[in-house]
Each structure stands twice: as C-alpha cells, then as structure tokens.
Amino acid sequence: MIRLAIHGGAGVIDREQFGGDREQRYREALRDITTATHDRLRNGASALDAVELAVRLLEDCPYFNAGHGAVLNSDGVAEMDAAVMDGRERRCGAVAAMKTTRYPVSLARAVMEQTEHVMLAGTGADRFGASVGLEQVDADYFITDDRRRQLTAAAREGRISLDHDEKYGTVGAVARDADGHLAAATSTGGMTNKLPGRVGDTPVIGSGTWADNATCAVSGTGHGEYFMRSAMAYDIHARMAYTGDDLDVAASAALKTVASMGGSGGVIAIAADGTVALPFNSPGMYRGWVDASGEVRIGIYQDDG
Ligand code: ASP
C-alpha cells in the first residue's frame, strides 16, 4: 500500500499569532504538495521519485525554509543542506553548505546516483551540480524579504534562531511505494544567523534523514545539534531493528532522547508495514500525509489533522 507524509518544519507556531489567512495559505500549500505527490505515487512513481518531487515543490514554496525562501546565515547568505535516502539498499546522497543549485534535494540525489560519495559540501557540491546539468541560480534567488527581516532581528538580538520560531520551516518527505520500497528526503537553510559553514542534522545520514526498507523512513526537523547528538533517525531504526519496537514507540522514544538533552522538534516516519508516525514535542509541526483510507490530511498544531 502507498503511503506518504511531508513536513514543513516544527516549532513555536502560535495559533493566536499565526491563524487566519496566513494559516490558510500554509494549509493550502501543504495540501497541494501532498496531493500532487500522492497522485504521482498512485500513477506508479517510486518512493524515491516521490520524496524528491515533494521536497522540490517545498523548496520552490517561499513559506518554507528550503530552496527559495531558505533562512540566512550571519553573512546574509542562504547556505543549504539536503539529503535523500533510498530504503532498498540504504543508498544515500547529501549536500551541505551549498549556495547556487536551485534544487538542493536533486543535488543530493545526483551525489547518490552519479558519484562514489555520500556527501559533498560547499562550492564543490555546487560545481558538481553544474557539471551534471543541474540548474544553477544567483545566490539572491533564494533570498526573500521575510528572511532578510528575520536575520536583521536575530542579529540585533544576538541570537541564532530556529526558523520555526518565526513560523517557517525545514522541509522533508517520506514515502512507501506500491512495491513496498521506502525513501526519505530532507532539505533546509538551517538556522537564522548561524555561523557561515555551520552544517545541521539534515544532511547527516542517521540524524535528520534515514531510510531502510526493513524498518522505516524518517525525516526530522528541529534543533539540529540535538538531533545529531542523538543520531535521532538512526535511533528510530535501531529501536525497531534490535528491540522489535513498533514505529510509534520507537519514534516517541527517540524524540524523548532529543528532548532530554533540551532539543525540540519532530519527525515524520513511515514503517515497512505502512504505519505512519508524526510525533513532535514543539507546539506545532506543518505536516501533510495520506491516511490508511487514502485521504490527504493536513495538520499544524498538536490537536489537529
Ligand atoms: N534541523 C534543521 C537544522 O538544524 C533546522 C530545522 O529543522 O528547521 O539545520
């Protein structure tokens, strides 16, 4: 059975401040992207193609912290991280601190499929993207006025902030296709006002992104340093593989470890049997998924969807 879940970041999404038209626009974007990807899966797309498609659509959408609309580092530059993983043989590709390739997730996929490596960083990653024909854009293409304002505020207050504090977010997708294969992809601009060169959990395989047909596909969002310190995505896989935990139990336990160190965020995950889990320990997580009856569902707060 086909399964799909996407996220657009988890964090402090306050109903009072956020509600109304703006909230509606986010819900519509999540619904459109979930529906378009689900249609593709129903027409025979592989899990890998589906997660790449969903993340590309999210990267194009300026509401979310990935691709166009990514947050800015302390130099005012969008430096992005992304990863993709194929659950069939645990093949994976990742890029870190890249700046000019229009679709970071496709660059990660190209690393997986067209190099002997798992991760490329910085200018080397973009140069490789250009060499295999991936669209290159001026660094300004990624920058929106909202992100400039966000950076100015963070710099004034001397803080490095999770994008979610400003109600935007990192993006990701997990899918199970009709053949039972799993895949995961995640893409982000990281944290506002981060040090140039900072790399978060997103491209670190086993922290922000993971897929293994035997257990689960996972994409995380939250304070990346804590997700790295707890090997969050791999922790979910390991609990399922070694103790036989089901996905719900494993995902909640892994997130508890993140929380016990002081980290907040959430994950979207799909198990080999098609179970979907979407736990988060922050007030909100933008999410869309397809439920057991094939309906597209959207949620933002703890109590909706
Ligand atoms: N996990 C991302 C990072 O730390 C941020 C996010 O999820 O919004 O780079």
Side-chain angles (χ1 to χ4, degrees), residues 167-201:
K167 299 175 267 323
Y168 299 97
T170 285
V171 309
V174 288
R176 181 187 192 279
D177 63 28
D179 295 325
H181 299 309
L182 302 179
T186 315
S187 179
T188 189
M191 294 171 77
T192 300
N193 202 27
K194 65 186 180 181
L195 285 176
R198 179 263 188 186
V199 174
D201 60 310

Side-chain angles (χ1 to χ4, degrees), residues 77-93:
V77 174
E79 266 190 343
M80 295 160 285
D81 302 335
V84 65
M85 189 155 178
D86 181 342
R88 280 174 297 189
E89 292 169 328
R90 289 201 201 170
R91 290 206 309 149
C92 44

Side-chain angles (χ1 to χ4, degrees), residues 7 9-10 65 81 162-164 168-171 188-191 194 198-203 220-225 227-228:
H7 72 79
N65 171 18
D81 302 335
L162 265 188
D163 171 49
H164 324 131
Y168 299 97
T170 285
V171 309
T188 189
M191 294 171 77
K194 65 186 180 181
R198 179 263 188 186
V199 174
D201 60 310
T202 296
T221 169
H223 199 143
E225 279 69 11
F227 281 62
M228 285 190 272

Side-chain angles (χ1 to χ4, degrees), residues 51-183:
V51 296
E52 183 187 10
L53 170 70
V55 170
R56 281 172 70 108
L57 294 170
L58 288 157
E59 286 173 343
D60 264 347
C61 180
Y63 303 162
F64 303 108
N65 171 18
H68 176 61
V71 300
L72 306 179
N73 70 13
S74 60
D75 285 344
V77 174
E79 266 190 343
M80 295 160 285
D81 302 335
V84 65
M85 189 155 178
D86 181 342
R88 280 174 297 189
E89 292 169 328
R90 289 201 201 170
R91 290 206 309 149
C92 44
V95 288
M98 40 111 347
K99 293 183 196 156
T100 60
T101 304
R102 178 170 177 187
Y103 294 108
V105 69
S106 297
L107 184 55
R109 184 168 176 176
V111 171
M112 174 174 88
E113 292 180 335
Q114 299 182 53
T115 77
E116 291 176 36
H117 309 305
V118 164
M119 189 188 289
L120 291 182
T123 50
D126 287 312
R127 254 172 47 206
F128 164 70
S131 77
V132 295
L134 294 182
E135 184 179 351
Q136 299 297 300
V137 290
D138 191 87
D140 275 354
Y141 160 82
F142 297 106
I143 302 179
T144 63
D145 289 346
D146 276 349
R147 297 310 190 192
R148 281 210 179 88
R149 276 193 289 274
Q150 213 174 332
L151 174 63
T152 307
R156 196 174 42 233
E157 291 157 29
R159 64 184 161 84
I160 298 170
S161 72
L162 265 188
D163 171 49
H164 324 131
D165 301 340
E166 320 270 344
K167 299 175 267 323
Y168 299 97
T170 285
V171 309
V174 288
R176 181 187 192 279
D177 63 28
D179 295 325
H181 299 309
L182 302 179

Side-chain angles (χ1 to χ4, degrees), residues 9-91:
V12 183
I13 306 166
D14 180 84
R15 210 177 221 135
E16 306 279 286
Q17 281 179 26
F18 184 57
D21 285 357
R22 191 139 181 249
E23 178 179 325
Q24 223 29 58
R25 285 201 300 277
Y26 277 72
R27 286 186 187 275
E28 271 159 32
L30 290 166
R31 181 169 295 284
D32 289 349
I33 293 169
T34 309
T35 304
T37 310
H38 185 216
D39 287 349
R40 208 59 88 75
L41 272 169
R42 280 198 298 208
N43 288 328
S46 67
L48 186 61
D49 285 343
V51 296
E52 183 187 10
L53 170 70
V55 170
R56 281 172 70 108
L57 294 170
L58 288 157
E59 286 173 343
D60 264 347
C61 180
Y63 303 162
F64 303 108
N65 171 18
H68 176 61
V71 300
L72 306 179
N73 70 13
S74 60
D75 285 344
V77 174
E79 266 190 343
M80 295 160 285
D81 302 335
V84 65
M85 189 155 178
D86 181 342
R88 280 174 297 189
E89 292 169 328
R90 289 201 201 170
R91 290 206 309 149

